[in-house]
Each structure stands twice: as C-alpha cells, then as structure tokens.
Amino acid sequence: MSASEAHYQRQTGAVRSALGPRFAALLSLDRVAVAVGAITLAGAALRLALAGGPMLNDEILSLEHVRPLKHFWDVFWGISHDNNHFLTSLWLYWLDSREVSAFALRAPSILAGAALIPVMAMIARRSSPAAAVIAAALTALSYFFFNYSVEARGYAGLALAFAVAFDATERCINNPRSRARYALAAASGLGALAHFGMIPAVVLLALGAFPALLRRERRLEPAILACFRIFFPAALAMLPAIACFFLGVLVVGWFKIGAALAFDTSLTLRALATAARDTFGLPDLAPNFLILLGAAAIIVGALASRFVSAERKFLYAAIIIGLPAIVFAMRPFNAHVARYYLIVPLALILVLADLFEAAWKAGGARRLAASAALAAILVGDGAQIARFQSAQARPWNDALAIIAASPRPIVTTDFEDRIGLFVRYYNWRDGAHLETVAERDVCEKSPDWLLSWAADDEIVPDRLVVGEFCPTPFTFVGRYATWGLSKVPWALYRRQ
C-alpha cells in the first residue's frame, strides 16, 4: 500500500469514527435510494414496453362515452355511468382521435403505476431500508398492479392516491397538526376523481387511525378532535367528486351500472383470492381457500410482530380485515369484482415487506424461508407478466382484420353485448365496414363469420352450428385473445 493510500484510509477511518452511526446510516440510505431508483426505472420501463396492446372492453366503452361530449367539463356530469373515472375520461376526451395510439391513451396509468413504486418504498422505509427495497420490488413486479398500469382506467390513479394517503395518515397519527394532512387531503380529492373507490378507502384509513390516536392521546375527546383535524380536510377535498356524482344523476336522470350481480359469498371470497393471487404471482391451480388462509396468516403475523409499529397495525387491520368485514356485513352487489379490493393487496405488500425484513434480521432458517418466498413471488409475477405479453401475439383486432378483408364482412356471435362495442370501435378506428348479426337473425343475414367467447382454459370445438331454423355450420379458424384481468378470449369461425 502506498503512503498516499494509507493516508486516505486513515482520514476516512477518522471521518467514520467521528460520524459513527450517522455515517453508516447515510451510506445505507444512499444504497437504498439507488436500489429503489433502479427498481422504479425497471418497473417504469416494463410498463412502457408492454402498454401498446389493443384497447379493451371498458377502455373502448369510456371512449364511446366521451366522444359525443361538446365540452371537457361535461365529463364530470354528462356521463352518469360507473365506468366514468373522471380524470381518465378527461384525458380520453382530450386525446380521442383515430391517430392517437393506445400507448398515449394509457399514459396517465403508466405514470401512476410507475410512481406507485417509490411511494410504497417510502412507506416501508419507516420500518427499515430492507423493507423499502422489498416493497419496491413487490410493487414493481406485482401482476395485479402492473395490469392496471397498462389500461386507460382509474385504478392505477386510485392505487397511487391511496398509497400517498396511507403515508400521510401514518405521519399525521404521530402529529395531528402536521402538514401531512394537506397531502392526505390532496391525495383524497384527486383519488376520488380518479375512482370513487377512494372514498371508502379514506373512511377505512380513518377507522384505522382513530384507535391509534386513542392509544396516543389516552383519552376519547382529544382522540376524536385529532381524528377530525386530520380527516376533515380530506373530506372537504372529496366533495367535488361526490357533487359531480349527484350532478350527473340530476343531468342524465339516472346512474347506470354496466352490470350488476347480487351478492354471493363464494364469488366474493373468490374475488379476494384472485386479488391476492394476481398480486403475488401465485399459480392458477392454487386453491382459493389456501390463498385466503395464507393472507389471514400474513395479517395475523403482522399484528403479532414486534417489528411492526402499533400505529401501522391499526391501519393494516382496518384495511385488510375491515374492508372484507364491511362487505360481508353489507352484502352489496358486484362484490365479486377483484379490482374493487385493490387497497387490500396494497396493504398486504407493505405487510410482507415488514415480515420479510423481520425474518431476514432473525437469520438462519427464517432468513432462508423469507428469501425463498420473496424469490418465488417475484418469479411468479414475472411469469404472469410474460403470459400477458405472449397473449398479445394474436389479439382480438387481428380477428376483425381477417373479417374486414373478406368479401362479406358479416359476423354473428354468442356474446352480443360485447361484440358490437368492439366492432363499432374497429369500424371507427380503421374505417372498416363490419356488420354484426344477432344469432336470431342468422337465417336472414347468412353471416360468413362467427365469434365465440372461449376462455383460455376451454377446449375449443372444431365446428359450431348456429341458427334455430336454419342450422348453419361454422369451422374453427383460430384463437384471437388477450389475457389478463380484462381478457378478451375469442375463437373465430368461418361459415362452412
């Protein structure tokens, strides 16, 4: 070692000795920032690369809703429909054109999905640097949140707004007069404009914050006052979205729901299991009851862990236990939709980050088990994302392109409620002239083509016969499908 190198090491050692733990913490923070930044860039690149697939059912429906509007403000009260996510509809209104790509239409979701990654890391950072990196990785590769980051809908915005609100709520619990309550208000207001699901999500945050405040204040009246001080600005911020809802009902005369299914316990449990499965890359064959038992074990482990703060335990319980409990108590319709439980897997990611970090600190077998579980989750999510992308090879618009290029572009289908939507969009976007025929009119119109709904796990028959009074055979041409949480699984047939 040269004299200059020895002198440098002596100086560095002196600095380390002087700064002590602060110097080590600074180095650790730098490493965490670099790791989270790299994961965020990778997650953003993944979303940018895979967001160009064809538009899907609810995206096309949103475009149909905004196209007749005359002014941008009509978005807020001129479409009284559950698929009208205000901020997304506003973006679609401004960009709606035949020349605009699907990628551009999905840009807000892509940005929100990428921004969610460092926000989740920031929340987990309060537990430890390792938890921050784990939360970032789980969020970046989570198939559930990836999927909604590449769709022109409000769910990516809702996820980001809720994560910011969770972070602000946690900071406000320690200091109810903190300016973080204004961040909570901003996130609540924008989140409600992104999706109405933000409103019950904020209520659940308040339900989790109150017992934490009561524990802090030790008296009921100051706890109530502190909770009011924290959440009153958030309640005011959500009023515009609520007002737009009622104005829409007043202007249009009703609030339309695309589809309504009565509450069903088994379907609700399946929706919760699906949200967890697609968040953590679990295989399709994993039984729903095992997934739910695993989720229950995770939250019990977090509530029992000494590594999780008491304040955070209250928030976890309000979200992961409170939301399903309220659903089963109120038994609302459409409880079978997995995306309506979006805040539950977000909280589960934070819980897992805390538990994995605690297991890593414990060392030995626990460290090995946690490392294996984390690796399995990331690999499973990666496999689902790869499956999503591979399904884009023969998307639904390729089927319509084949029909459009034929001498008689007339098609019938066994799912009339959706085929018309796709055909109308394709005709508008590509200047085509496809004609749809209801099954009851097959004898009169003699369509040359048939589109059948064929789930990816179904065996598709080589031949189908339609027409009650004039049995018409159709032979299988091929599958044209997109896979994912908004899948479009078609099988194309041609008249024999």
Side-chain angles (χ1 to χ4, degrees):
M1 181 185 297
S2 67
S4 60
E5 289 175 340
H7 177 68
Y8 173 78
Q9 287 197 0
R10 284 196 300 272
Q11 286 186 323
T12 304
V15 172
R16 287 176 185 267
S17 177
L19 294 178
R22 292 183 180 180
F23 184 79
L26 181 62
L27 290 178
S28 173
L29 183 61
D30 286 344
R31 288 195 295 268
V32 170
V34 169
V36 170
I39 293 170
T40 300
L41 288 175
L46 186 68
R47 286 153 174 78
L48 287 169
L50 306 184
M55 299 296 283
L56 302 172
N57 184 77
D58 287 333
E59 295 176 303
I60 296 172
L61 186 60
S62 296
L63 287 167
E64 281 203 347
H65 286 159
V66 302
R67 199 162 294 137
L69 301 181
K70 295 182 178 179
H71 308 286
F72 75 86
W73 54 79
D74 291 330
V75 162
F76 297 100
W77 48 75
I79 310 169
S80 191
H81 195 286
D82 67 333
N83 197 55
N84 181 23
H85 306 161
F86 294 131
L87 296 183
T88 301
S89 296
L90 190 62
W91 179 258
L92 297 180
Y93 173 84
W94 281 332
L95 263 69
D96 183 37
S97 168
R98 292 180 176 87
E99 288 72 35
V100 174
S101 67
F103 174 85
L105 295 173
R106 292 164 175 162
S109 291
I110 298 168
L111 292 173
L116 177 65
I117 300 168
V119 173
M120 292 289 281
M122 181 175 61
I123 298 170
R125 178 66 182 82
R126 291 199 190 95
S127 296
S128 76
V133 176
I134 293 169
L138 289 173
T139 305
L141 275 183
S142 165
Y143 174 69
F144 188 86
F145 293 105
F146 160 81
N147 191 294
Y148 288 121
S149 297
V150 293
E151 287 189 23
R153 307 181 73 191
Y155 296 103
L158 169 61
L160 175 61
F162 178 77
V164 173
F166 186 102
D167 174 69
T169 299
E170 199 169 35
R171 284 186 283 151
C172 287
I173 289 172
N174 295 320
N175 179 13
R177 296 181 181 275
S178 166
R179 291 183 178 179
R181 57 197 169 123
Y182 301 118
L184 171 61
S188 301
L190 290 172
L193 290 172
H195 193 282
F196 284 131
M198 189 65 188
I199 298 170
V202 174
V203 172
L204 287 167
L205 285 175
L207 290 176
F210 178 72
L213 291 166
L214 186 60
R215 178 179 179 274
R216 177 180 180 273
E217 301 291 344
R218 299 183 183 277
R219 289 187 298 142
L220 183 61
E221 186 176 338
I224 294 174
L225 182 60
C227 196
F228 178 82
R229 181 176 287 117
I230 293 169
F231 286 96
F232 181 67
L236 290 179
M238 292 188 291
L239 284 179
I242 297 171
C244 288
F245 170 83
F246 287 106
L247 275 173
V249 174
L250 185 65
V251 170
V252 178
W254 65 79
F255 183 79
K256 186 175 181 180
I257 296 174
L261 185 66
F263 179 85
D264 181 276
T265 300
S266 63
L267 293 179
T268 301
L269 291 172
R270 187 177 71 179
L272 287 164
T274 298
R277 174 186 287 109
D278 290 333
T279 297
F280 300 112
L282 301 175
D284 291 342
L285 296 177
N288 290 338
F289 77 92
L290 282 182
I291 295 174
L292 294 174
L293 283 176
I298 289 170
I299 184 61
V300 169
L303 296 179
S305 174
R306 62 186 178 86
F307 294 100
V308 180
S309 69
E311 293 79 9
R312 189 168 287 190
K313 287 178 181 179
F314 286 120
L315 294 176
Y316 286 161
I319 297 161
I320 301 172
I321 299 174
L323 178 56
I326 291 171
V327 168
F328 281 106
M330 298 182 64
R331 301 174 65 85
F333 62 86
N334 282 359
H336 66 291
V337 183
R339 61 181 176 268
Y340 292 166
Y341 303 96
L342 177 146
I343 64 173
V344 172
L346 268 180
L348 283 173
I349 287 175
L350 295 173
V351 170
L352 272 182
D354 285 341
L355 294 182
F356 282 158
E357 189 271 340
W360 181 264
K361 282 183 177 178
R366 291 186 182 180
R367 177 180 291 186
L368 288 174
S371 300
L374 178 60
I377 289 172
L378 297 179
V379 169
D381 278 326
Q384 284 189 313
I385 292 172
R387 183 180 178 186
F388 169 89
Q389 181 59 16
S390 64
Q392 306 288 345
R394 301 181 76 187
W396 63 263
N397 52 341
D398 283 2
L400 296 189
I402 292 173
I403 297 171
S406 67
R408 295 184 71 250
I410 304 174
V411 58
T412 187
T413 179
D414 56 6
F415 56 111
E416 296 175 30
D417 61 324
R418 294 191 182 183
I419 184 62
L421 182 72
F422 286 102
V423 168
R424 287 195 303 272
Y425 175 75
Y426 186 84
N427 285 341
W428 171 80
R429 179 66 187 261
D430 288 62
H433 301 282
L434 278 70
E435 180 183 350
T436 57
V437 174
E439 278 193 282
R440 62 181 177 274
D441 297 326
V442 165
C443 296
E444 180 184 349
K445 295 286 188 176
S446 297
D448 278 2
W449 300 92
L450 166 68
L451 280 170
S452 178
W453 186 267
D456 53 300
D457 57 349
E458 290 181 0
I459 297 175
V460 176
D462 292 329
R463 185 172 179 270
L464 286 178
V465 178
V466 299
E468 184 177 355
F469 301 107
C470 57
T472 306
F474 289 81
T475 55
F476 178 69
V477 174
R479 283 181 182 267
Y480 295 86
T482 51
W483 179 85
L485 297 172
S486 304
K487 61 185 67 175
V488 183
W490 289 0
L492 178 63
Y493 292 80
R494 189 164 194 171
R495 189 155 59 101
Q496 206 167 319

